[in-house]
Amino acid sequence: MTDAIKIDVWSDIACPWCYIGKRNLEKGLAEASADEDAPAVEVTFHSFELSPDTPVDFEGDELDFLSQHKGMAREQVQQMLERVTGVAAEAGLDYHFDLLKHTNTVKAHELLHFAKEQGRQHELAERLMAAYFTEGRHLGREDELVALATDAGLDADAAREALQSGRYLEAVRADQAQAQAYGINGVPFFVIDGKYGVSGAQPAEAFAQIVRQVWAENREPADVDA
């Protein structure tokens, strides 16, 4: 039995391309799962903060943030957000940048590590990204994060204790250190079986192709000297 392909995904819940990449990955894996010899795949999400210096309560909208913090003209930012919204729609996602509340995401990442321990990381990652990009929820606030954790099937009191204790911050920093060691400076970034790196929100077909390729490689018999 060939071991499952491991896909490690570095992302930030406040990264619009990360949610698109997540959805495209899921579609690609679903496509490959219909194969007669379907690849077995395990996906794990890892922490990456795009803007770790962002305050919890940023005064202003996404246009303000990108124009102030990235030195971009508001007109340029507006065009960029319209483009991203269009690409998101193609992936089946309904982005609302007009509702978005820019915030620091470190606590959301801590909660994702708690969810990973509880076997609910995928559910929470989906819930957080949907809340941030489509519902305008404030993901820097403890009460909001706890509410979203319960939506993902986690215990509210345990989620709150995990956030207040800060005990998952070390795991967040370890993910970030691993990203630095890999030379990852932008997300989403996908590491396939520890040997292939895929950068950016690739189309679903690209993800289907690479898991099929890696699955076939892993099933090839090792060369044995006569």
Side-chain angles (χ1 to χ4, degrees):
M1 178 69 180
T2 303
D3 290 339
I5 297 169
K6 291 180 171 54
I7 300 182
D8 293 288
V9 186
W10 271 263
S11 66
D12 192 348
I13 58 95
C15 162
W17 293 105
C18 292
Y19 197 10
I20 295 168
K22 176 181 180 295
R23 187 62 85 247
N24 287 349
L25 173 65
E26 291 165 349
K27 290 179 179 178
L29 295 181
E31 179 184 327
S33 72
D35 294 354
E36 184 176 344
D37 181 23
V41 180
E42 294 176 2
V43 179
T44 303
F45 292 98
H46 298 276
S47 304
F48 192 101
E49 290 179 89
L50 283 173
S51 302
D53 58 343
T54 303
V56 171
D57 294 301
F58 176 77
E59 296 296 331
D61 59 16
E62 189 71 352
L63 285 170
D64 294 323
F65 177 81
L66 291 172
S67 58
Q68 292 174 22
H69 287 248
K70 307 298 182 183
M72 300 168 66
R74 287 182 67 87
E75 296 77 14
Q76 183 184 0
V77 173
Q78 184 62 50
Q79 291 174 359
M80 183 184 72
L81 295 182
E82 288 174 0
R83 174 173 171 261
V84 175
T85 300
V87 176
E90 292 173 2
L93 302 172
D94 186 21
Y95 280 8
H96 290 281
F97 285 107
D98 56 324
L99 302 178
L100 189 148
K101 293 178 175 59
H102 206 88
T103 187
N104 190 288
T105 60
V106 69
K107 282 297 179 182
H109 285 295
E110 290 180 43
L111 192 62
L112 280 166
H113 278 280
F114 165 70
K116 179 182 176 183
E117 276 191 0
Q118 305 299 313
R120 307 293 292 178
Q121 188 192 46
H122 288 214
E123 292 83 356
L124 183 63
E126 177 64 28
R127 189 67 195 95
L128 292 179
M129 288 180 169
Y132 188 78
F133 286 107
T134 73
E135 301 167 26
R137 305 278 287 271
H138 194 316
L139 269 60
R141 294 177 179 165
E142 182 181 293
D143 287 347
E144 197 80 291
L145 287 171
V146 169
L148 295 169
T150 61
D151 289 348
L154 294 162
D155 178 77
D157 291 338
R160 190 178 299 278
E161 189 278 330
L163 288 170
Q164 292 178 346
S165 71
R167 70 177 184 273
Y168 293 95
L169 181 59
E170 184 178 349
V172 173
R173 299 302 182 226
D175 275 356
Q176 293 168 332
Q178 184 63 66
Q180 188 172 24
Y182 278 150
I184 299 170
N185 51 27
V187 288
F189 196 94
F190 306 83
V191 176
I192 318 293
D193 249 11
K195 56 186 178 181
Y196 296 113
V198 178
S199 178
Q202 300 296 321
E205 310 82 65
F207 288 118
Q209 180 180 358
I210 194 167
V211 295
R212 285 167 172 151
Q213 174 190 328
V214 173
W215 187 246
E217 290 174 0
N218 290 353
R219 291 171 67 82
E220 290 175 358
D223 291 333
V224 179
D225 293 334

